[in-house]
Amino acid sequence: MTFTTLLSLAVAMALFGASPGPGIFAVVSRALSTGFGSAMLLTVGLVAGDLLWLTLAASGLGMVAEMMGDFFIVLKIGGGLYLAWMGVKAWRAPAVGLSDDEVSALQRPSALGTLASGLAVTLSNPKAILFYMAILPTLLDLDTITPTGLVLAGAVVAVVLTLVCAAYAFLASRARRVLQSPQAMRRLNRASGALLVGVGAWVASR
């Protein structure tokens, strides 16, 4: 595992991570509806899903079906439904309260549900599957990768994806604070809610 290899992985991961997809849409929607901190918690779930795909790719494609099984189906459907429910709550949220401290307890989703939703988005994302099962083998020699190499690759994936999602979340949360009027907040809540419902339906139906 050379520096050049890790750099190539970082660049590829940044390009794929920053491209529009369900994960980015979910992060932006969460930042718009409940702020930066909640979006970063969702990001933890997204990154966990990527690390799982990385581990599966390094372990061999034959282990994917065995390790996922019925758990994957339950997680996928449950995560999709939870995202949709968060979208409904964002749609119905009061058109007031711009800071994270002002978000009501009813609107704020649970930490465990947020993490599971992020994990479900990544596990059902065809872009992630394409990257780890088709493109990653061109960057890393998965047949000879060592445990140390896998840890280093995982660190690169985690750091790059977190930074990419943090950038999107920060910009979205800043846009949320700029919109001060109740009418603007109502439109923003409904837009982010509709986007979350759409992502949730997409995840559950994959």
Side-chain angles (χ1 to χ4, degrees):
M1 184 68 67
T2 65
F3 174 78
T4 302
T5 300
L6 292 175
L7 181 60
S8 299
L9 176 61
V11 172
M13 180 57 60
L15 293 175
F16 266 74
S19 62
I24 293 301
F25 292 153
V27 168
V28 170
S29 297
R30 179 59 70 81
L32 288 173
S33 61
T34 54
F36 179 81
S38 186
M40 292 310 298
L41 186 58
L42 180 73
T43 297
V44 174
L46 293 173
V47 172
D50 277 270
L51 294 178
L52 179 57
W53 276 126
L54 174 63
T55 303
L56 290 172
S59 301
L61 299 181
M63 295 183 60
V64 174
E66 179 182 352
M67 292 187 64
M68 306 303 277
D70 294 336
F71 171 75
F72 171 74
I73 299 175
V74 172
L75 178 64
K76 177 172 65 73
I77 296 176
L81 292 177
Y82 189 78
L83 281 169
W85 171 238
M86 288 191 300
V88 172
K89 290 200 294 184
W91 179 283
R92 298 171 59 186
V96 294
L98 300 182
S99 68
D100 289 346
D101 292 337
E102 295 170 324
V103 177
S104 66
L106 179 62
Q107 183 184 0
R108 190 185 298 277
S110 69
L112 182 60
T114 300
L115 291 172
S117 297
L119 182 62
V121 168
T122 298
L123 293 182
S124 59
N125 188 354
K127 188 177 75 170
I129 297 173
L130 171 66
F131 181 84
Y132 288 105
M133 301 307 167
I135 297 178
L136 183 66
T138 67
L139 301 172
L140 303 178
D141 186 355
L142 298 177
D143 293 331
T144 61
I145 191 170
T146 64
T148 300
L150 183 60
V151 169
L152 289 174
V156 169
V157 168
V159 170
V160 171
L161 284 181
T162 299
L163 291 176
V164 169
C165 290
Y168 276 100
F170 176 77
L171 293 175
S173 63
R174 291 293 296 176
R176 180 174 182 271
R177 289 181 172 86
V178 168
L179 300 175
Q180 299 287 336
S181 71
Q183 286 186 341
M185 280 302 299
R186 185 177 296 109
R187 294 192 187 99
L188 186 59
N189 286 339
R190 291 181 175 179
S192 61
L195 190 55
L196 274 175
V197 169
V199 173
W202 182 90
V203 169
S205 63
R206 298 303 298 174

